[in-house]
């Protein structure tokens, strides 16, 4: 039962991190659109823009994996 509580906390925290990351990325897109600039200028270059996308992807993968480990039937 102790492991289930830890998995639940990890799942909730990963969902919160994903929501925050998506909202920040969305706000950057709105800023870029309103000021007629590009996301790579805001991020500091193409490399950092790719790192921003990777952060979103890794956070989504962590959410999926922690959700699978939480809802999996342990015998």
């Amino acid at each position: 039962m102790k492991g289930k509580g830890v998995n639940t906390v990890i799942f909730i925290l990963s969902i919160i991190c994903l929501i925050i990351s998506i909202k920040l990325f969305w706000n950057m897109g709105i800023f870029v659109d309103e000021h007629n600039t590009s996301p790579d200028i805001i991020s500091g270059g193409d490399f950092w823009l790719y790192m921003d996308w990777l952060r979103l992807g890794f956070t989504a993968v962590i959410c999926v994996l922690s959700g699978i480990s939480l809802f999996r039937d342990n015998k």
Side-chain angles (χ1 to χ4, degrees), residues 1-12 70:
M1 191 66 183
K2 188 182 219 182
K4 201 71 145 167
V6 172
N7 284 342
T8 303
V9 170
I10 291 173
F11 180 68
I12 291 170
L70 178 64

Side-chain angles (χ1 to χ4, degrees), residues 8-65:
T8 303
V9 170
I10 291 173
F11 180 68
I12 291 170
L13 289 176
S14 64
I15 290 290
I16 290 170
C17 287
L18 181 63
I19 291 169
I20 291 170
S21 293
I22 288 172
K23 184 62 178 166
L24 287 172
F25 202 72
W26 183 267
N27 285 341
M28 182 181 66
I30 291 171
F31 178 83
V32 163
D33 186 45
E34 289 177 352
H35 293 278
N36 293 326
T37 184
S38 66
D40 59 340
I41 292 173
I42 302 300
S43 295
D46 284 334
F47 176 76
W48 292 111
L49 180 61
Y50 294 140
M51 293 299 109
D52 206 10
W53 279 107
L54 275 174
R55 183 192 65 204
L56 283 174
F58 287 154
T59 308
V61 169
I62 289 170
C63 287
V64 169
L65 292 178

